[in-house]
Amino acid sequence: MKGPRQVGKSSLLMRIIQAARNAGKRVAYLDFQQLNNSVLNDEERFFRHFCCWISDVLELEDKVSEYFRLNLTTIQRCDRYLQRHILKPLGHPLVLAMDEVDRVFDTNGRNDFFGMLRSWHNSRAIYPSLDKLDLVLVTSTEPYQLIDDLNQSPFNVGQIIELEDFTPEQVAELNRRHNLPFDANSLKQLLRLLGGHPYLVRKALYLVASGQITLTELFTNATAPNGPFGDHLRRLLSLLYDKQELIQGLQLVISQNICPDMQIFWRLRGAGLVRSSGQSALPRCQLYAEYFRENLHG
């Protein structure tokens, strides 16, 4: 499952998890944002932690030390642990639901980790225990960036779900479901300001529909620090702090609609800040263009 931040990936993942549980499957939900850099930057420690993490979530005995004494590669140890200690005695199909796997992007072990996941998919016909395993991976980064050898990638097999911003028709439907707080003209103004950004559109609809803010206040104070989107905008600005390459890339997108470095573009897109339109790189919405034009200093 892929898409920029705040398009509803985690929400959809929770629905998938609930559907899996309703179908009688066990679920191990792993949010990779919970991993600190000391774990991510040490390959063997990362694999050990990954195995321990699954055991902990499923409330199974931790036997990581026992399996990691085997005279095998780290990937083989992890594979044995999953098949023999997790899947075999579990007695139920297992869904490994992994959110924010982008956290592995800058680590030395990313190719081994994602290659291992691909091997589990490929080995279903050979090892019956793996046939009871389903993998769900959620990422904001383009999958081809996460692993060097696409033949070992888990992102080009199975079902791919790509989430995008709302269409104008979907925004209009949400407005109707909120009892039409925006008339036709103000709805067009909302679309010009926010595009189809799911989080921002829903917040704007809620604030106006609940009477917490007027339409005039919403549009007048859109980029203000204490405005309706102030917390959201400040959080995005803090994410860019001291990342000069991203700051300069975003400034180019805002001023010239270009981003020559595709690595920078995909990182900005993964953060939910920019989008592409033909050959142009654009701010994700007018709100972002106005706010970062005023507040981004390289």
Side-chain angles (χ1 to χ4, degrees):
M1 189 189 313
K2 67 174 183 175
R5 294 194 181 279
Q6 294 187 309
V7 295
K9 297 188 302 299
S10 294
S11 177
L12 179 56
L13 179 60
M14 293 304 109
R15 295 189 181 195
I16 292 172
I17 287 173
Q18 189 57 53
R21 287 173 175 156
N22 291 341
K25 298 182 178 184
R26 295 291 302 275
V27 177
Y29 170 66
L30 310 178
D31 181 358
F32 278 62
Q33 287 194 99
Q34 296 180 0
L35 298 179
N36 57 38
N37 289 333
S38 62
V39 171
L40 288 167
N41 293 329
D42 184 324
E43 185 172 352
E44 178 160 341
R45 185 179 176 188
F46 169 75
F47 278 95
R48 289 176 67 104
H49 185 88
F50 181 68
C51 292
C52 178
W53 199 5
I54 297 172
S55 300
D56 178 68
V57 170
L58 295 173
E59 298 183 350
L60 298 174
E61 183 181 358
D62 180 354
K63 291 189 175 181
V64 172
S65 295
E66 175 183 332
Y67 277 83
F68 272 70
R69 284 198 299 266
L70 298 174
N71 189 25
L72 299 169
T73 67
T74 302
I75 294 177
Q76 288 172 324
R77 294 167 182 165
C78 195
D79 178 78
R80 301 299 189 275
Y81 191 84
L82 178 85
Q83 290 198 55
R84 297 176 185 176
H85 181 60
I86 302 293
L87 294 174
K88 192 172 181 180
L90 193 60
H92 294 273
L94 173 64
V95 176
L96 274 184
M98 292 171 276
D99 203 358
E100 301 285 353
V101 295
D102 315 69
R103 288 281 285 140
V104 187
F105 176 63
D106 289 324
T107 67
N108 293 329
R110 72 174 193 225
N111 288 319
D112 286 343
F113 177 66
F114 291 123
M116 178 183 71
L117 300 183
R118 172 64 178 264
S119 74
W120 288 347
H121 172 84
N122 291 344
S123 300
R124 293 170 185 266
I126 302 173
Y127 301 107
S129 60
L130 289 176
D131 198 37
K132 298 178 181 179
L133 175 67
D134 292 318
L135 302 173
V136 182
L137 290 87
V138 180
T139 174
S140 299
T141 302
E142 281 299 305
Y144 77 84
Q145 288 190 280
L146 293 172
I147 185 167
D148 296 333
D149 185 353
L150 292 181
N151 292 320
Q152 293 184 320
S153 173
F155 298 102
N156 52 13
V157 293
Q159 182 178 0
I160 299 173
I161 301 173
E162 183 167 6
L163 299 183
E164 299 179 346
D165 285 350
F166 292 147
T167 64
E169 294 76 18
Q170 289 171 326
V171 175
E173 173 61 17
L174 282 171
N175 185 46
R176 185 189 66 79
R177 295 188 184 191
H178 284 77
N179 296 319
L180 301 174
F182 289 78
D183 60 23
N185 288 331
S186 59
L187 190 62
K188 289 180 182 178
Q189 191 175 355
L190 182 73
L191 284 166
R192 284 195 298 270
L193 179 68
L194 304 181
H197 194 303
Y199 172 77
L200 296 178
V201 166
R202 294 193 67 181
K203 183 167 187 177
L205 287 167
Y206 170 74
L207 290 174
V208 177
S210 62
Q212 297 183 48
I213 194 171
T214 67
L215 289 172
T216 300
E217 290 169 335
L218 177 81
F219 293 120
T220 302
N221 300 318
T223 61
N226 60 344
F229 311 115
D231 289 345
H232 172 80
L233 294 169
R234 286 194 300 274
R235 185 186 67 81
L236 291 176
L237 187 64
S238 70
L239 291 176
L240 294 169
Y241 177 75
D242 208 28
K243 296 181 176 64
Q244 289 302 313
E245 70 281 7
L246 296 184
I247 292 173
Q248 292 168 8
L250 184 54
Q251 288 173 327
L252 272 177
V253 171
I254 293 171
S255 62
Q256 301 180 42
N257 296 149
I258 60 171
C259 188
D261 189 327
M262 289 307 297
Q263 294 289 333
I264 296 298
F265 174 79
W266 289 122
R267 288 174 66 185
L268 290 170
R269 185 181 183 278
L273 294 169
V274 303
R275 61 186 177 89
S276 61
S277 179
Q279 298 299 312
S280 299
L282 305 174
R284 186 173 175 187
C285 58
Q286 180 182 317
L287 176 72
Y288 286 178
E290 293 178 4
Y291 178 78
F292 287 111
R293 189 182 292 115
E294 297 170 6
N295 294 277
L296 201 63
H297 305 292

